[in-house]
PDB file of all heavy atoms in Angstrom:
ATOM      1  N   SER A 231      92.619  94.308 101.434  1.00  0.00           N
ATOM      2  CA  SER A 231      93.988  93.807 101.569  1.00  0.00           C
ATOM      3  C   SER A 231      94.144  92.426 100.950  1.00  0.00           C
ATOM      4  O   SER A 231      95.263  91.989 100.676  1.00  0.00           O
ATOM      5  CB  SER A 231      94.408  93.760 103.044  1.00  0.00           C
ATOM      6  OG  SER A 231      93.696  92.756 103.745  1.00  0.00           O
ATOM      7  N   LEU A 232      93.026  91.749 100.719  1.00  0.00           N
ATOM      8  CA  LEU A 232      93.076  90.425 100.117  1.00  0.00           C
ATOM      9  C   LEU A 232      93.287  90.476  98.610  1.00  0.00           C
ATOM     10  O   LEU A 232      93.518  89.447  97.982  1.00  0.00           O
ATOM     11  CB  LEU A 232      91.792  89.654 100.424  1.00  0.00           C
ATOM     12  CG  LEU A 232      91.532  89.359 101.900  1.00  0.00           C
ATOM     13  CD1 LEU A 232      90.178  88.684 102.056  1.00  0.00           C
ATOM     14  CD2 LEU A 232      92.626  88.489 102.474  1.00  0.00           C
ATOM     15  N   GLY A 233      93.172  91.655  98.015  1.00  0.00           N
ATOM     16  CA  GLY A 233      93.338  91.767  96.578  1.00  0.00           C
ATOM     17  C   GLY A 233      92.283  90.968  95.848  1.00  0.00           C
ATOM     18  O   GLY A 233      91.088  91.056  96.127  1.00  0.00           O
ATOM     19  N   LYS A 234      92.715  90.142  94.914  1.00  0.00           N
ATOM     20  CA  LYS A 234      91.779  89.345  94.120  1.00  0.00           C
ATOM     21  C   LYS A 234      91.095  88.265  94.955  1.00  0.00           C
ATOM     22  O   LYS A 234      90.090  87.690  94.528  1.00  0.00           O
ATOM     23  CB  LYS A 234      92.507  88.718  92.935  1.00  0.00           C
ATOM     24  CG  LYS A 234      92.985  89.738  91.903  1.00  0.00           C
ATOM     25  CD  LYS A 234      93.651  89.061  90.725  1.00  0.00           C
ATOM     26  CE  LYS A 234      94.106  90.084  89.697  1.00  0.00           C
ATOM     27  NZ  LYS A 234      94.768  89.449  88.529  1.00  0.00           N
ATOM     28  N   ASP A 235      91.620  88.001  96.135  1.00  0.00           N
ATOM     29  CA  ASP A 235      91.028  86.973  96.985  1.00  0.00           C
ATOM     30  C   ASP A 235      89.790  87.482  97.711  1.00  0.00           C
ATOM     31  O   ASP A 235      89.223  86.792  98.552  1.00  0.00           O
ATOM     32  CB  ASP A 235      92.061  86.480  98.008  1.00  0.00           C
ATOM     33  CG  ASP A 235      91.633  85.167  98.668  1.00  0.00           C
ATOM     34  OD1 ASP A 235      91.066  84.316  97.952  1.00  0.00           O
ATOM     35  OD2 ASP A 235      91.858  85.013  99.872  1.00  0.00           O
ATOM     36  N   ILE A 236      89.369  88.707  97.370  1.00  0.00           N
ATOM     37  CA  ILE A 236      88.145  89.263  97.958  1.00  0.00           C
ATOM     38  C   ILE A 236      86.966  88.316  97.738  1.00  0.00           C
ATOM     39  O   ILE A 236      86.044  88.235  98.548  1.00  0.00           O
ATOM     40  CB  ILE A 236      87.848  90.655  97.353  1.00  0.00           C
ATOM     41  CG1 ILE A 236      86.624  91.284  98.025  1.00  0.00           C
ATOM     42  CG2 ILE A 236      87.627  90.577  95.865  1.00  0.00           C
ATOM     43  CD1 ILE A 236      86.346  92.697  97.548  1.00  0.00           C
ATOM     44  N   CYS A 237      86.983  87.572  96.624  1.00  0.00           N
ATOM     45  CA  CYS A 237      85.902  86.640  96.318  1.00  0.00           C
ATOM     46  C   CYS A 237      86.145  85.265  96.927  1.00  0.00           C
ATOM     47  O   CYS A 237      85.397  84.327  96.662  1.00  0.00           O
ATOM     48  CB  CYS A 237      85.738  86.514  94.802  1.00  0.00           C
ATOM     49  SG  CYS A 237      85.268  88.056  94.005  1.00  0.00           S
ATOM     50  N   GLY A 238      87.224  85.146  97.704  1.00  0.00           N
ATOM     51  CA  GLY A 238      87.551  83.878  98.325  1.00  0.00           C
ATOM     52  C   GLY A 238      87.059  83.801  99.749  1.00  0.00           C
ATOM     53  O   GLY A 238      85.877  83.558 100.018  1.00  0.00           O
ATOM     54  N   ARG A 239      87.952  84.075 100.685  1.00  0.00           N
ATOM     55  CA  ARG A 239      87.644  83.849 102.097  1.00  0.00           C
ATOM     56  C   ARG A 239      86.465  84.698 102.578  1.00  0.00           C
ATOM     57  O   ARG A 239      85.563  84.189 103.267  1.00  0.00           O
ATOM     58  CB  ARG A 239      88.875  84.156 102.955  1.00  0.00           C
ATOM     59  CG  ARG A 239      88.633  83.945 104.446  1.00  0.00           C
ATOM     60  CD  ARG A 239      89.934  83.984 105.207  1.00  0.00           C
ATOM     61  NE  ARG A 239      90.579  85.278 105.152  1.00  0.00           N
ATOM     62  CZ  ARG A 239      90.284  86.281 105.994  1.00  0.00           C
ATOM     63  NH1 ARG A 239      89.343  86.126 106.912  1.00  0.00           N
ATOM     64  NH2 ARG A 239      90.927  87.425 105.916  1.00  0.00           N
ATOM     65  N   PHE A 240      86.412  85.980 102.216  1.00  0.00           N
ATOM     66  CA  PHE A 240      85.360  86.843 102.751  1.00  0.00           C
ATOM     67  C   PHE A 240      83.979  86.411 102.265  1.00  0.00           C
ATOM     68  O   PHE A 240      83.030  86.340 103.049  1.00  0.00           O
ATOM     69  CB  PHE A 240      85.623  88.306 102.373  1.00  0.00           C
ATOM     70  CG  PHE A 240      86.321  89.077 103.449  1.00  0.00           C
ATOM     71  CD1 PHE A 240      87.698  89.128 103.495  1.00  0.00           C
ATOM     72  CD2 PHE A 240      85.611  89.737 104.433  1.00  0.00           C
ATOM     73  CE1 PHE A 240      88.355  89.831 104.487  1.00  0.00           C
ATOM     74  CE2 PHE A 240      86.256  90.444 105.438  1.00  0.00           C
ATOM     75  CZ  PHE A 240      87.625  90.492 105.463  1.00  0.00           C
ATOM     76  N   ILE A 241      83.863  86.121 100.966  1.00  0.00           N
ATOM     77  CA  ILE A 241      82.553  85.723 100.461  1.00  0.00           C
ATOM     78  C   ILE A 241      82.170  84.344 100.997  1.00  0.00           C
ATOM     79  O   ILE A 241      80.999  84.091 101.301  1.00  0.00           O
ATOM     80  CB  ILE A 241      82.541  85.742  98.914  1.00  0.00           C
ATOM     81  CG1 ILE A 241      82.576  87.190  98.422  1.00  0.00           C
ATOM     82  CG2 ILE A 241      81.310  85.032  98.378  1.00  0.00           C
ATOM     83  CD1 ILE A 241      82.400  87.342  96.937  1.00  0.00           C
ATOM     84  N   GLY A 242      83.155  83.458 101.131  1.00  0.00           N
ATOM     85  CA  GLY A 242      82.876  82.144 101.695  1.00  0.00           C
ATOM     86  C   GLY A 242      82.311  82.249 103.099  1.00  0.00           C
ATOM     87  O   GLY A 242      81.308  81.591 103.438  1.00  0.00           O
ATOM     88  N   GLU A 243      82.942  83.087 103.935  1.00  0.00           N
ATOM     89  CA  GLU A 243      82.445  83.282 105.301  1.00  0.00           C
ATOM     90  C   GLU A 243      81.073  83.943 105.292  1.00  0.00           C
ATOM     91  O   GLU A 243      80.181  83.569 106.075  1.00  0.00           O
ATOM     92  CB  GLU A 243      83.440  84.134 106.092  1.00  0.00           C
ATOM     93  CG  GLU A 243      84.768  83.446 106.387  1.00  0.00           C
ATOM     94  CD  GLU A 243      85.709  84.345 107.155  1.00  0.00           C
ATOM     95  OE1 GLU A 243      85.437  85.553 107.246  1.00  0.00           O
ATOM     96  OE2 GLU A 243      86.724  83.836 107.674  1.00  0.00           O
ATOM     97  N   TYR A 244      80.900  84.912 104.409  1.00  0.00           N
ATOM     98  CA  TYR A 244      79.605  85.607 104.300  1.00  0.00           C
ATOM     99  C   TYR A 244      78.492  84.634 103.928  1.00  0.00           C
ATOM    100  O   TYR A 244      77.398  84.657 104.518  1.00  0.00           O
ATOM    101  CB  TYR A 244      79.738  86.720 103.259  1.00  0.00           C
ATOM    102  CG  TYR A 244      78.448  87.145 102.612  1.00  0.00           C
ATOM    103  CD1 TYR A 244      77.553  87.985 103.272  1.00  0.00           C
ATOM    104  CD2 TYR A 244      78.115  86.717 101.321  1.00  0.00           C
ATOM    105  CE1 TYR A 244      76.368  88.379 102.668  1.00  0.00           C
ATOM    106  CE2 TYR A 244      76.937  87.102 100.709  1.00  0.00           C
ATOM    107  CZ  TYR A 244      76.059  87.928 101.383  1.00  0.00           C
ATOM    108  OH  TYR A 244      74.879  88.313 100.788  1.00  0.00           O
ATOM    109  N   MET A 245      78.761  83.772 102.969  1.00  0.00           N
ATOM    110  CA  MET A 245      77.738  82.817 102.535  1.00  0.00           C
ATOM    111  C   MET A 245      77.344  81.865 103.659  1.00  0.00           C
ATOM    112  O   MET A 245      76.192  81.412 103.747  1.00  0.00           O
ATOM    113  CB  MET A 245      78.236  82.025 101.327  1.00  0.00           C
ATOM    114  CG  MET A 245      78.428  82.860 100.059  1.00  0.00           C
ATOM    115  SD  MET A 245      76.890  83.554  99.405  1.00  0.00           S
ATOM    116  CE  MET A 245      76.096  82.070  98.750  1.00  0.00           C
ATOM    117  N   ARG A 246      78.303  81.578 104.559  1.00  0.00           N
ATOM    118  CA  ARG A 246      78.019  80.688 105.689  1.00  0.00           C
ATOM    119  C   ARG A 246      77.481  81.435 106.903  1.00  0.00           C
ATOM    120  O   ARG A 246      77.198  80.823 107.939  1.00  0.00           O
ATOM    121  CB  ARG A 246      79.297  79.933 106.080  1.00  0.00           C
ATOM    122  CG  ARG A 246      79.822  78.996 105.006  1.00  0.00           C
ATOM    123  CD  ARG A 246      80.946  78.115 105.551  1.00  0.00           C
ATOM    124  NE  ARG A 246      82.097  78.888 105.999  1.00  0.00           N
ATOM    125  CZ  ARG A 246      83.110  79.256 105.209  1.00  0.00           C
ATOM    126  NH1 ARG A 246      83.086  78.927 103.913  1.00  0.00           N
ATOM    127  NH2 ARG A 246      84.132  79.937 105.685  1.00  0.00           N
ATOM    128  N   GLY A 247      77.373  82.745 106.791  1.00  0.00           N
ATOM    129  CA  GLY A 247      76.892  83.537 107.921  1.00  0.00           C
ATOM    130  C   GLY A 247      77.909  83.677 109.027  1.00  0.00           C
ATOM    131  O   GLY A 247      77.554  83.860 110.192  1.00  0.00           O
ATOM    132  N   GLN A 248      79.195  83.647 108.658  1.00  0.00           N
ATOM    133  CA  GLN A 248      80.268  83.716 109.636  1.00  0.00           C
ATOM    134  C   GLN A 248      81.157  84.925 109.361  1.00  0.00           C
ATOM    135  O   GLN A 248      81.042  85.603 108.342  1.00  0.00           O
ATOM    136  CB  GLN A 248      81.120  82.436 109.576  1.00  0.00           C
ATOM    137  CG  GLN A 248      80.354  81.159 109.846  1.00  0.00           C
ATOM    138  CD  GLN A 248      81.174  79.917 109.534  1.00  0.00           C
ATOM    139  OE1 GLN A 248      82.229  79.997 108.911  1.00  0.00           O
ATOM    140  NE2 GLN A 248      80.692  78.757 109.971  1.00  0.00           N
ATOM    141  N   GLY A 249      82.069  85.168 110.293  1.00  0.00           N
ATOM    142  CA  GLY A 249      83.103  86.168 110.086  1.00  0.00           C
ATOM    143  C   GLY A 249      82.610  87.600 110.161  1.00  0.00           C
ATOM    144  O   GLY A 249      81.526  87.895 110.693  1.00  0.00           O
ATOM    145  N   ALA A 250      83.407  88.489 109.568  1.00  0.00           N
ATOM    146  CA  ALA A 250      83.174  89.925 109.710  1.00  0.00           C
ATOM    147  C   ALA A 250      81.888  90.390 109.036  1.00  0.00           C
ATOM    148  O   ALA A 250      81.340  91.433 109.412  1.00  0.00           O
ATOM    149  CB  ALA A 250      84.374  90.696 109.141  1.00  0.00           C
ATOM    150  N   LEU A 251      81.423  89.639 108.026  1.00  0.00           N
ATOM    151  CA  LEU A 251      80.222  90.055 107.302  1.00  0.00           C
ATOM    152  C   LEU A 251      79.000  89.220 107.677  1.00  0.00           C
ATOM    153  O   LEU A 251      78.062  89.076 106.904  1.00  0.00           O
ATOM    154  CB  LEU A 251      80.475  89.974 105.793  1.00  0.00           C
ATOM    155  CG  LEU A 251      81.435  91.043 105.249  1.00  0.00           C
ATOM    156  CD1 LEU A 251      81.774  90.764 103.792  1.00  0.00           C
ATOM    157  CD2 LEU A 251      80.821  92.431 105.396  1.00  0.00           C
ATOM    158  N   ALA A 252      79.011  88.677 108.890  1.00  0.00           N
ATOM    159  CA  ALA A 252      77.867  87.880 109.359  1.00  0.00           C
ATOM    160  C   ALA A 252      76.591  88.714 109.412  1.00  0.00           C
ATOM    161  O   ALA A 252      75.499  88.211 109.109  1.00  0.00           O
ATOM    162  CB  ALA A 252      78.174  87.305 110.745  1.00  0.00           C
ATOM    163  N   ALA A 253      76.719  89.994 109.774  1.00  0.00           N
ATOM    164  CA  ALA A 253      75.533  90.857 109.852  1.00  0.00           C
ATOM    165  C   ALA A 253      74.919  91.055 108.468  1.00  0.00           C
ATOM    166  O   ALA A 253      73.688  91.030 108.314  1.00  0.00           O
ATOM    167  CB  ALA A 253      75.902  92.202 110.468  1.00  0.00           C
ATOM    168  N   LEU A 254      75.754  91.226 107.453  1.00  0.00           N
ATOM    169  CA  LEU A 254      75.249  91.383 106.086  1.00  0.00           C
ATOM    170  C   LEU A 254      74.601  90.082 105.617  1.00  0.00           C
ATOM    171  O   LEU A 254      73.556  90.099 104.952  1.00  0.00           O
ATOM    172  CB  LEU A 254      76.396  91.765 105.150  1.00  0.00           C
ATOM    173  CG  LEU A 254      76.007  92.005 103.685  1.00  0.00           C
ATOM    174  CD1 LEU A 254      75.101  93.222 103.570  1.00  0.00           C
ATOM    175  CD2 LEU A 254      77.258  92.199 102.817  1.00  0.00           C
ATOM    176  N   SER A 255      75.195  88.970 105.987  1.00  0.00           N
ATOM    177  CA  SER A 255      74.620  87.665 105.650  1.00  0.00           C
ATOM    178  C   SER A 255      73.235  87.514 106.281  1.00  0.00           C
ATOM    179  O   SER A 255      72.312  86.965 105.673  1.00  0.00           O
ATOM    180  CB  SER A 255      75.554  86.546 106.131  1.00  0.00           C
ATOM    181  OG  SER A 255      75.017  85.273 105.836  1.00  0.00           O
ATOM    182  N   GLY A 256      73.092  88.024 107.507  1.00  0.00           N
ATOM    183  CA  GLY A 256      71.799  87.967 108.184  1.00  0.00           C
ATOM    184  C   GLY A 256      70.738  88.754 107.447  1.00  0.00           C
ATOM    185  O   GLY A 256      69.573  88.336 107.378  1.00  0.00           O
TER     186      GLY A 256
END
Side-chain angles (χ1 to χ4, degrees):
S231 69
L232 297 176
K234 293 182 179 180
D235 195 38
I236 184 176
C237 297
R239 180 168 65 85
F240 264 90
I241 289 187
E243 291 179 347
Y244 156 78
M245 293 295 288
R246 296 190 298 272
Q248 301 170 348
L251 289 172
L254 182 65
S255 179

